[in-house]
Amino acid sequence: MSIAVLISGGVDSAVVVHKLVEEGHHDDMHLFYIRIGMDDDEGDCAAEEDIEMCTLIARQYDLPLDVVTLHREYWDNVMAYALRTVKAGLTPNPDIMCNRIIKFGYFEQRWGKDFDITASGHYATTDVVDGVKYLATAVDPVKDQTDFLAQITHEQLEHVMFPIGNLPKSEVRRIAAEVRLPNAKRKDSQGICFLGQINYNDFIRRHLGVKKGPIIEIETGRKLGEHNGYWFHTIGQRKGLGLSGGPWYVVKKNVADNVIYVSNGYGTAKQYGRLMHLDEMHFISGNPWEGVSGPVEVMFKNRHTPLMLKARFSHLRGSEWALESDTDVQGIAPGQFAVIYDAAGHLCYGSGVITGQKID
């Protein structure tokens, strides 16, 4: 079985390489680093460091390594989507789109197709139910990345494996130290997919600029301060507002007038909701409730967190669904993806885009 291994320079994908070699796949493996590059002329130091680390891993295991470039595809698709979404006052998820369009999209079409399967360092697993392959959660709930994979297609899922999805992060680190991987102690990347260490606000400022507007307390209409543009803020945000006497939460945005509305206190009801409408609902392995009428019990996430919430999920029309949480949900932001799991929180069925929330 020939295997294309996506390697990033981080410890997770390095342990993937080690595991596959240990399982006897050495002669079948080819390593690939996907290079994107930055959107300016300052160079890409993070990528150079990553490539150097990948080269050391390839040498340690005597494996071929190719650095492939998908710069234009990334900026024309993933970042164009992110900027378009932010400018519309919504909350994007570039990582979800990056996995579908770049890692398991363009890479598969151009290089992965020549291999039997692609191995990735994502924390996820797969499961087969009634002969159908499903995306499933990782053993480590804190590191689980199924929410970032919830827009991939079934065809993409059929061609991918997640060798470390059955390991807790602590075990991945232990293996890396034990076999003396050069990146055993390297910190995990915290940046947006492929943006490396660039500051998110700096990135947004570079592309959308600064436009001063008022920060208004929603209950009183009182102006509390100024912001640099609604595109720097998302529903549910607490930090970065520059207001005293907090906590203050962003609860609403008026995009047309460039106004941010906030509410004070940890318990403010304005930052919570229960009912979400989802559009563009995408099922990875098909709709498991085809023909079922009425709501079904599910678990879901609306942000990257180990915590899943119980909800009732019902079909409205076409790709539109309603998701009603059993408990209050903090910071429901239009544009976010709500990721849908089975009632046990094991199988990841797919995701849809939250279209709005009601603020009284």
Side-chain angles (χ1 to χ4, degrees), residues 27-104:
D27 294 343
D28 308 316
M29 296 165 60
H30 195 119
L31 311 186
F32 289 91
Y33 175 87
I34 303 175
R35 183 163 195 162
I36 295 301
M38 302 304 292
D39 62 328
D40 55 26
D41 298 321
E42 297 173 9
D44 193 355
C45 296
E48 295 301 336
E49 293 171 14
D50 288 341
I51 292 168
E52 183 179 356
M53 198 61 68
C54 293
T55 302
L56 292 173
I57 299 293
R59 285 177 186 164
Q60 181 167 339
Y61 290 96
D62 190 25
L63 290 166
L65 167 68
D66 280 346
V67 176
V68 299
T69 300
L70 288 171
H71 176 88
R72 180 48 51 203
E73 292 79 1
Y74 177 69
W75 289 96
D76 285 351
N77 292 277
V78 179
M79 296 323 296
Y81 144 79
L83 291 169
R84 182 173 64 249
T85 304
V86 168
K87 195 170 184 180
L90 307 174
T91 300
N93 192 319
D95 292 284
I96 281 185
M97 304 308 288
C98 182
N99 283 321
R100 174 170 177 153
I101 297 171
I102 302 299
K103 290 180 181 175
F104 304 120

Coordinates of all heavy atoms in Angstrom, one line a residue, residues 27-104:
D27 N 9.0 1.2 2.9 CA 9.2 1.2 1.5 C 8.1 1.8 0.7 O 8.2 2.0 -0.5 CB 9.5 -0.2 1.0 CG 10.8 -0.8 1.6 OD1 11.7 0.1 2.1 OD2 11.0 -2.0 1.6
D28 N 6.9 2.0 1.4 CA 5.7 2.5 0.7 C 5.4 4.0 0.9 O 4.5 4.5 0.4 CB 4.5 1.7 1.2 CG 4.7 0.2 1.1 OD1 5.2 -0.3 0.1 OD2 4.4 -0.5 2.1
M29 N 6.3 4.7 1.7 CA 6.0 6.0 2.1 C 6.7 7.1 1.4 O 7.9 6.9 1.0 CB 6.4 6.1 3.6 CG 5.5 5.3 4.5 SD 6.3 5.1 6.2 CE 6.2 6.9 6.7
H30 N 6.0 8.2 1.2 CA 6.6 9.4 0.5 C 6.1 10.6 1.3 O 4.9 10.8 1.5 CB 6.2 9.5 -0.9 CG 7.0 10.5 -1.7 ND1 7.8 10.1 -2.8 CD2 7.2 11.8 -1.6 CE1 8.4 11.2 -3.3 NE2 8.1 12.2 -2.6
L31 N 7.0 11.4 1.8 CA 6.6 12.6 2.6 C 6.4 13.8 1.8 O 7.1 14.0 0.8 CB 7.7 12.9 3.7 CG 8.2 11.7 4.5 CD1 9.2 12.2 5.6 CD2 7.1 10.9 5.1
F32 N 5.4 14.6 2.2 CA 5.1 15.8 1.5 C 4.9 17.0 2.5 O 4.2 16.8 3.5 CB 3.8 15.7 0.6 CG 3.9 14.8 -0.6 CD1 3.6 13.4 -0.4 CD2 4.3 15.3 -1.8 CE1 3.7 12.6 -1.5 CE2 4.4 14.5 -2.9 CZ 4.1 13.1 -2.8
Y33 N 5.5 18.1 2.2 CA 5.3 19.3 2.9 C 4.6 20.3 2.0 O 5.1 20.6 0.9 CB 6.6 20.0 3.4 CG 6.4 21.3 4.1 CD1 6.1 21.4 5.5 CD2 6.5 22.5 3.4 CE1 5.9 22.6 6.1 CE2 6.3 23.7 4.0 CZ 6.0 23.8 5.3 OH 5.8 25.0 5.9
I34 N 3.4 20.8 2.4 CA 2.7 21.8 1.5 C 3.1 23.2 1.9 O 2.9 23.6 3.0 CB 1.1 21.6 1.7 CG1 0.7 20.2 1.4 CG2 0.4 22.6 0.8 CD1 -0.8 20.0 1.7
R35 N 3.6 23.9 0.9 CA 4.1 25.2 1.2 C 3.1 26.2 0.6 O 2.6 26.1 -0.5 CB 5.5 25.5 0.5 CG 6.0 26.9 0.8 CD 7.5 27.0 0.5 NE 8.0 28.2 1.1 CZ 9.2 28.5 1.3 NH1 10.1 27.6 1.0 NH2 9.6 29.6 1.9
I36 N 2.8 27.2 1.4 CA 1.8 28.2 1.0 C 2.5 29.6 0.9 O 2.3 30.3 -0.1 CB 0.7 28.3 2.1 CG1 -0.1 27.0 2.1 CG2 -0.3 29.5 1.8 CD1 -0.8 26.7 0.8
G37 N 3.3 30.0 1.9 CA 3.9 31.3 1.8 C 3.0 32.4 2.3 O 1.8 32.2 2.6
M38 N 3.6 33.5 2.5 CA 2.9 34.6 3.1 C 2.3 35.6 2.0 O 2.6 35.4 0.9 CB 3.8 35.5 4.1 CG 4.4 34.6 5.2 SD 3.1 33.8 6.2 CE 2.4 35.2 6.9
D39 N 1.6 36.6 2.5 CA 0.9 37.5 1.5 C 1.7 38.8 1.4 O 1.2 39.8 1.0 CB -0.5 37.8 1.9 CG -0.6 38.4 3.2 OD1 0.2 38.2 4.1 OD2 -1.6 39.2 3.4
D40 N 3.0 38.8 1.7 CA 3.8 40.0 1.6 C 5.2 39.6 1.1 O 5.4 38.4 0.7 CB 3.9 40.8 2.9 CG 4.4 39.9 4.1 OD1 5.1 38.9 3.8 OD2 4.0 40.2 5.2
D41 N 6.1 40.5 1.1 CA 7.5 40.2 0.6 C 8.5 40.0 1.7 O 9.7 40.1 1.5 CB 7.9 41.4 -0.3 CG 7.0 41.5 -1.5 OD1 6.6 40.4 -2.1 OD2 6.7 42.6 -1.9
E42 N 8.0 39.8 2.9 CA 8.9 39.6 4.1 C 9.5 38.3 4.2 O 10.3 38.0 5.1 CB 8.2 40.0 5.4 CG 7.7 41.4 5.4 CD 6.8 41.7 6.6 OE1 6.7 40.8 7.5 OE2 6.2 42.8 6.7
G43 N 9.2 37.3 3.3 CA 9.7 36.0 3.4 C 8.8 35.2 4.3 O 7.8 35.7 4.9
D44 N 9.1 33.9 4.5 CA 8.3 33.0 5.3 C 9.3 32.2 6.2 O 9.6 31.0 5.9 CB 7.5 32.1 4.4 CG 6.4 31.4 5.1 OD1 6.4 31.5 6.4 OD2 5.6 30.7 4.5
C45 N 9.7 32.8 7.3 CA 10.7 32.2 8.2 C 10.1 30.9 8.8 O 10.8 29.9 8.9 CB 11.1 33.2 9.3 SG 12.0 34.6 8.7
A46 N 8.8 30.9 9.1 CA 8.2 29.8 9.8 C 8.3 28.6 8.8 O 8.6 27.5 9.2 CB 6.8 30.1 10.2
A47 N 8.0 28.8 7.5 CA 8.0 27.7 6.6 C 9.5 27.2 6.4 O 9.6 26.0 6.3 CB 7.5 28.2 5.2
E48 N 10.4 28.0 6.4 CA 11.8 27.6 6.3 C 12.2 26.7 7.5 O 12.9 25.7 7.3 CB 12.8 28.8 6.2 CG 12.6 29.6 5.0 CD 12.8 28.9 3.7 OE1 13.5 27.8 3.7 OE2 12.3 29.3 2.6
E49 N 11.8 27.1 8.7 CA 12.0 26.3 9.9 C 11.3 24.9 9.8 O 11.8 23.9 10.1 CB 11.6 27.0 11.1 CG 12.4 28.2 11.4 CD 11.8 29.1 12.6 OE1 10.9 28.5 13.3 OE2 12.2 30.2 12.7
D50 N 10.1 25.0 9.3 CA 9.3 23.7 9.1 C 9.9 22.8 8.1 O 10.1 21.6 8.4 CB 7.9 24.1 8.6 CG 7.0 24.7 9.7 OD1 7.3 24.6 10.9 OD2 6.0 25.4 9.3
I51 N 10.4 23.3 7.0 CA 11.0 22.5 6.0 C 12.3 21.9 6.5 O 12.6 20.7 6.2 CB 11.2 23.3 4.7 CG1 9.9 23.7 4.1 CG2 12.1 22.6 3.7 CD1 9.9 24.7 3.0
E52 N 13.1 22.7 7.2 CA 14.3 22.2 7.8 C 14.0 21.0 8.8 O 14.7 20.0 8.7 CB 15.0 23.3 8.6 CG 16.3 22.8 9.2 CD 17.0 24.0 9.9 OE1 16.5 25.1 9.9 OE2 18.1 23.7 10.5
M53 N 12.9 21.1 9.6 CA 12.5 20.1 10.5 C 12.1 18.8 9.7 O 12.4 17.7 10.0 CB 11.4 20.6 11.4 CG 11.2 19.7 12.7 SD 12.7 19.6 13.7 CE 12.8 21.3 14.3
C54 N 11.3 19.0 8.7 CA 10.8 17.9 7.8 C 12.0 17.2 7.2 O 12.0 16.0 7.1 CB 9.8 18.4 6.8 SG 8.3 19.1 7.4
T55 N 13.0 18.0 6.8 CA 14.2 17.4 6.1 C 14.9 16.5 7.1 O 15.4 15.4 6.8 CB 15.1 18.5 5.6 OG1 14.4 19.3 4.7 CG2 16.3 17.9 4.9
L56 N 15.0 16.9 8.4 CA 15.6 16.1 9.4 C 14.9 14.8 9.6 O 15.5 13.7 9.8 CB 15.7 16.9 10.7 CG 16.7 18.1 10.7 CD1 16.6 18.9 12.0 CD2 18.1 17.6 10.5
I57 N 13.5 14.9 9.7 CA 12.7 13.7 9.9 C 12.9 12.7 8.7 O 13.1 11.5 8.9 CB 11.2 14.1 10.0 CG1 11.0 15.0 11.2 CG2 10.4 12.8 10.0 CD1 11.2 14.3 12.5
A58 N 12.9 13.3 7.5 CA 13.1 12.4 6.3 C 14.4 11.7 6.3 O 14.6 10.5 6.0 CB 13.0 13.3 5.0
R59 N 15.5 12.4 6.7 CA 16.8 11.8 6.8 C 16.9 10.8 7.9 O 17.5 9.7 7.7 CB 17.9 12.9 7.1 CG 18.2 13.8 5.9 CD 19.2 14.9 6.3 NE 19.4 15.8 5.2 CZ 20.0 17.0 5.4 NH1 20.3 17.4 6.6 NH2 20.2 17.8 4.3
Q60 N 16.2 11.1 9.1 CA 16.3 10.1 10.2 C 15.7 8.8 9.8 O 16.2 7.7 10.2 CB 15.5 10.7 11.4 CG 15.5 9.8 12.6 CD 15.0 10.5 13.9 OE1 15.0 11.7 13.9 NE2 14.5 9.7 14.8
Y61 N 14.6 8.8 8.9 CA 14.0 7.6 8.5 C 14.3 7.2 7.1 O 13.7 6.2 6.6 CB 12.5 7.7 8.7 CG 12.1 7.7 10.2 CD1 11.9 9.0 10.8 CD2 11.9 6.6 10.9 CE1 11.6 9.0 12.2 CE2 11.6 6.6 12.3 CZ 11.4 7.8 12.9 OH 11.1 7.9 14.2
D62 N 15.2 7.9 6.4 CA 15.6 7.6 5.1 C 14.4 7.5 4.1 O 14.2 6.5 3.5 CB 16.4 6.3 5.0 CG 17.1 6.0 3.7 OD1 17.4 7.0 3.0 OD2 17.3 4.9 3.3
L63 N 13.7 8.6 4.1 CA 12.4 8.6 3.3 C 12.5 9.8 2.3 O 13.1 10.9 2.6 CB 11.2 8.8 4.2 CG 10.8 7.6 5.1 CD1 9.8 8.0 6.1 CD2 10.3 6.5 4.2
P64 N 11.9 9.7 1.2 CA 11.8 10.8 0.2 C 10.9 11.9 0.7 O 9.8 11.6 1.3 CB 11.3 10.2 -1.1 CG 10.5 9.0 -0.6 CD 11.2 8.5 0.6
L65 N 11.3 13.2 0.5 CA 10.5 14.3 0.9 C 10.3 15.3 -0.3 O 11.3 15.6 -0.9 CB 11.1 15.1 2.1 CG 10.6 16.5 2.4 CD1 9.2 16.4 2.9 CD2 11.5 17.2 3.4
D66 N 9.1 15.7 -0.6 CA 8.9 16.7 -1.6 C 8.2 17.9 -1.0 O 7.3 17.7 -0.1 CB 8.0 16.2 -2.7 CG 8.7 15.3 -3.8 OD1 10.0 15.4 -3.8 OD2 8.1 14.6 -4.5
V67 N 8.7 19.1 -1.3 CA 8.0 20.3 -0.9 C 7.1 20.8 -2.1 O 7.7 21.1 -3.1 CB 9.0 21.4 -0.5 CG1 8.3 22.7 -0.2 CG2 9.9 21.0 0.7
V68 N 5.8 20.8 -1.9 CA 4.9 21.2 -2.9 C 4.3 22.5 -2.6 O 4.0 22.8 -1.5 CB 3.9 20.1 -3.2 CG1 4.5 18.8 -3.6 CG2 3.0 19.8 -2.0
T69 N 3.9 23.3 -3.6 CA 3.4 24.6 -3.4 C 2.0 24.7 -3.9 O 1.6 24.3 -5.0 CB 4.3 25.6 -4.2 OG1 5.6 25.6 -3.8 CG2 3.7 27.0 -4.1
L70 N 1.1 25.3 -3.0 CA -0.3 25.5 -3.3 C -0.6 27.0 -2.8 O -1.7 27.2 -2.3 CB -1.2 24.5 -2.6 CG -1.2 23.1 -3.2 CD1 -1.9 22.1 -2.3 CD2 -1.7 23.1 -4.6
H71 N 0.3 27.9 -3.1 CA 0.2 29.2 -2.6 C -1.0 29.9 -3.3 O -1.9 30.5 -2.6 CB 1.5 30.0 -3.0 CG 1.4 31.5 -2.7 ND1 1.7 32.0 -1.4 CD2 1.0 32.6 -3.4 CE1 1.6 33.3 -1.4 NE2 1.1 33.7 -2.6
R72 N -1.1 29.9 -4.6 CA -2.2 30.6 -5.3 C -3.5 30.0 -4.9 O -4.5 30.8 -4.7 CB -1.9 30.6 -6.8 CG -3.0 31.3 -7.6 CD -3.3 32.7 -7.1 NE -2.1 33.5 -6.9 CZ -2.1 34.6 -6.1 NH1 -3.1 34.9 -5.4 NH2 -1.0 35.3 -6.0
E73 N -3.6 28.7 -4.9 CA -4.9 28.0 -4.6 C -5.3 28.4 -3.2 O -6.5 28.6 -2.9 CB -4.7 26.5 -4.7 CG -4.4 26.0 -6.1 CD -3.0 26.2 -6.6 OE1 -2.2 26.7 -5.8 OE2 -2.7 25.9 -7.7
Y74 N -4.4 28.5 -2.2 CA -4.7 28.9 -0.9 C -5.3 30.3 -0.8 O -6.4 30.5 -0.2 CB -3.5 28.7 0.0 CG -3.7 29.1 1.5 CD1 -4.5 28.3 2.3 CD2 -3.1 30.3 2.0 CE1 -4.7 28.7 3.6 CE2 -3.3 30.6 3.3 CZ -4.1 29.8 4.1 OH -4.2 30.2 5.4
W75 N -4.6 31.2 -1.4 CA -5.1 32.6 -1.3 C -6.3 32.9 -2.1 O -7.2 33.7 -1.7 CB -3.9 33.6 -1.7 CG -2.9 33.6 -0.6 CD1 -1.7 32.8 -0.6 CD2 -2.9 34.3 0.6 NE1 -1.1 33.1 0.6 CE2 -1.8 33.9 1.3 CE3 -3.8 35.2 1.1 CZ2 -1.5 34.5 2.6 CZ3 -3.5 35.7 2.4 CH2 -2.4 35.3 3.1
D76 N -6.5 32.2 -3.2 CA -7.7 32.4 -4.0 C -8.9 31.7 -3.4 O -10.0 32.1 -3.8 CB -7.5 31.8 -5.4 CG -6.5 32.6 -6.3 OD1 -6.2 33.8 -5.9 OD2 -6.1 32.2 -7.4
N77 N -8.7 30.8 -2.5 CA -9.9 30.1 -2.0 C -10.0 30.3 -0.5 O -11.0 30.9 -0.1 CB -9.7 28.6 -2.3 CG -9.8 28.2 -3.8 OD1 -10.9 28.1 -4.3 ND2 -8.7 28.1 -4.5
V78 N -9.1 29.8 0.3 CA -9.3 29.8 1.8 C -9.2 31.2 2.3 O -10.1 31.7 3.0 CB -8.2 29.0 2.4 CG1 -8.3 29.0 4.0 CG2 -8.3 27.5 2.0
M79 N -8.2 32.0 1.9 CA -8.1 33.4 2.5 C -9.1 34.3 1.9 O -9.6 35.2 2.5 CB -6.7 33.9 2.4 CG -5.7 33.1 3.2 SD -6.3 32.5 4.8 CE -6.6 34.0 5.7
A80 N -9.4 34.1 0.6 CA -10.5 34.9 0.0 C -11.8 34.7 0.7 O -12.6 35.6 1.0 CB -10.6 34.6 -1.5
Y81 N -12.1 33.4 1.1 CA -13.3 33.1 1.8 C -13.3 33.8 3.2 O -14.3 34.4 3.7 CB -13.4 31.6 2.0 CG -14.0 31.1 3.3 CD1 -15.4 31.2 3.6 CD2 -13.1 30.7 4.4 CE1 -15.9 30.8 4.8 CE2 -13.6 30.3 5.6 CZ -15.0 30.3 5.8 OH -15.5 30.0 7.0
A82 N -12.1 33.7 3.9 CA -12.0 34.3 5.2 C -12.2 35.8 5.2 O -13.0 36.3 6.0 CB -10.6 33.9 5.8
L83 N -11.6 36.5 4.3 CA -11.7 37.9 4.2 C -13.1 38.3 3.8 O -13.7 39.3 4.3 CB -10.7 38.5 3.3 CG -9.2 38.4 3.8 CD1 -8.3 38.8 2.6 CD2 -9.0 39.3 4.9
R84 N -13.7 37.6 2.9 CA -15.1 37.9 2.4 C -16.1 37.7 3.6 O -17.0 38.5 3.8 CB -15.4 36.9 1.3 CG -16.8 37.1 0.7 CD -17.0 36.3 -0.6 NE -17.0 34.8 -0.2 CZ -16.0 34.0 -0.6 NH1 -15.0 34.4 -1.3 NH2 -16.1 32.7 -0.3
T85 N -15.9 36.7 4.4 CA -16.7 36.4 5.5 C -16.6 37.4 6.6 O -17.6 37.9 7.1 CB -16.4 35.0 6.1 OG1 -16.5 34.0 5.0 CG2 -17.4 34.6 7.2
V86 N -15.4 37.8 6.9 CA -15.1 38.8 8.0 C -15.7 40.1 7.5 O -16.3 40.8 8.3 CB -13.6 38.9 8.2 CG1 -13.3 40.2 9.1 CG2 -13.1 37.7 9.0
K87 N -15.5 40.5 6.3 CA -16.0 41.8 5.8 C -17.5 41.8 5.8 O -18.1 42.9 6.0 CB -15.5 42.0 4.3 CG -15.7 43.5 3.9 CD -15.0 43.7 2.6 CE -15.1 45.2 2.2 NZ -14.4 45.4 0.9
A88 N -18.2 40.7 5.7 CA -19.7 40.6 5.8 C -20.1 40.6 7.3 O -21.3 40.6 7.5 CB -20.2 39.4 5.1
G89 N -19.2 40.7 8.2 CA -19.6 40.8 9.6 C -19.8 39.4 10.2 O -20.3 39.3 11.4
L90 N -19.4 38.4 9.5 CA -19.5 37.0 10.0 C -18.2 36.4 10.6 O -17.2 37.1 10.5 CB -20.0 36.1 8.9 CG -21.3 36.6 8.1 CD1 -21.6 35.7 6.9 CD2 -22.5 36.7 9.1
T91 N -18.3 35.2 11.1 CA -17.2 34.6 11.8 C -16.7 33.4 10.9 O -17.4 32.4 10.8 CB -17.5 34.1 13.2 OG1 -17.9 35.2 14.0 CG2 -16.3 33.4 13.8
P92 N -15.6 33.5 10.2 CA -15.1 32.4 9.4 C -14.4 31.3 10.1 O -14.0 31.5 11.3 CB -14.1 33.1 8.4 CG -13.5 34.2 9.3 CD -14.6 34.6 10.2
N93 N -14.1 30.2 9.5 CA -13.3 29.1 10.0 C -12.3 28.7 8.9 O -12.6 27.7 8.2 CB -14.1 28.0 10.6 CG -13.3 27.0 11.4 OD1 -12.1 26.7 11.0 ND2 -13.8 26.5 12.5
P94 N -11.2 29.4 8.8 CA -10.3 29.0 7.7 C -9.7 27.6 7.8 O -9.5 27.0 6.7 CB -9.1 30.0 7.8 CG -9.7 31.2 8.6 CD -10.8 30.5 9.5
D95 N -9.6 27.1 9.0 CA -9.0 25.7 9.1 C -10.0 24.7 8.5 O -9.5 23.7 7.9 CB -8.8 25.4 10.6 CG -7.7 26.3 11.2 OD1 -6.5 26.0 10.9 OD2 -8.0 27.2 11.9
I96 N -11.3 24.8 8.7 CA -12.2 23.9 8.1 C -12.1 23.9 6.6 O -12.0 22.9 5.9 CB -13.7 24.2 8.5 CG1 -13.9 23.7 9.9 CG2 -14.7 23.7 7.5 CD1 -15.4 23.9 10.4
M97 N -12.0 25.1 6.0 CA -12.0 25.2 4.5 C -10.6 24.8 4.0 O -10.5 24.2 2.9 CB -12.2 26.7 4.1 CG -13.6 27.2 4.6 SD -15.0 26.1 4.2 CE -15.1 26.4 2.5
C98 N -9.6 25.0 4.8 CA -8.2 24.6 4.4 C -8.1 23.1 4.2 O -7.5 22.6 3.3 CB -7.2 25.1 5.4 SG -5.5 24.7 5.0
N99 N -8.7 22.4 5.2 CA -8.6 20.9 5.1 C -9.4 20.4 3.9 O -8.9 19.5 3.2 CB -9.2 20.3 6.4 CG -8.3 20.4 7.5 OD1 -7.1 20.2 7.4 ND2 -8.8 20.7 8.7
R100 N -10.6 21.0 3.6 CA -11.4 20.5 2.5 C -10.7 20.9 1.1 O -10.6 20.1 0.2 CB -12.8 21.0 2.6 CG -13.6 20.6 1.3 CD -15.1 20.9 1.5 NE -15.8 20.7 0.3 CZ -17.1 20.3 0.3 NH1 -17.8 20.2 1.4 NH2 -17.7 20.1 -0.9
I101 N -10.3 22.1 1.0 CA -9.9 22.7 -0.3 C -8.4 22.4 -0.6 O -8.1 22.1 -1.7 CB -10.2 24.2 -0.3 CG1 -11.7 24.4 -0.2 CG2 -9.7 24.8 -1.6 CD1 -12.1 25.9 -0.1
I102 N -7.6 22.5 0.4 CA -6.1 22.4 0.2 C -5.6 21.1 0.5 O -5.1 20.3 -0.4 CB -5.4 23.5 1.0 CG1 -5.9 24.9 0.6 CG2 -3.9 23.4 0.7 CD1 -5.7 25.3 -0.8
K103 N -5.6 20.7 1.8 CA -4.9 19.4 2.2 C -5.5 18.2 1.6 O -4.8 17.3 1.1 CB -5.0 19.3 3.7 CG -4.1 20.3 4.4 CD -4.2 20.1 6.0 CE -3.3 21.1 6.7 NZ -3.4 21.1 8.1
F104 N -6.9 18.1 1.5 CA -7.5 17.0 1.0 C -8.2 17.3 -0.3 O -9.0 16.5 -0.9 CB -8.5 16.4 2.0 CG -7.8 16.0 3.3 CD1 -8.2 16.6 4.5 CD2 -6.8 15.2 3.3 CE1 -7.6 16.4 5.7 CE2 -6.1 14.9 4.5 CZ -6.5 15.5 5.7

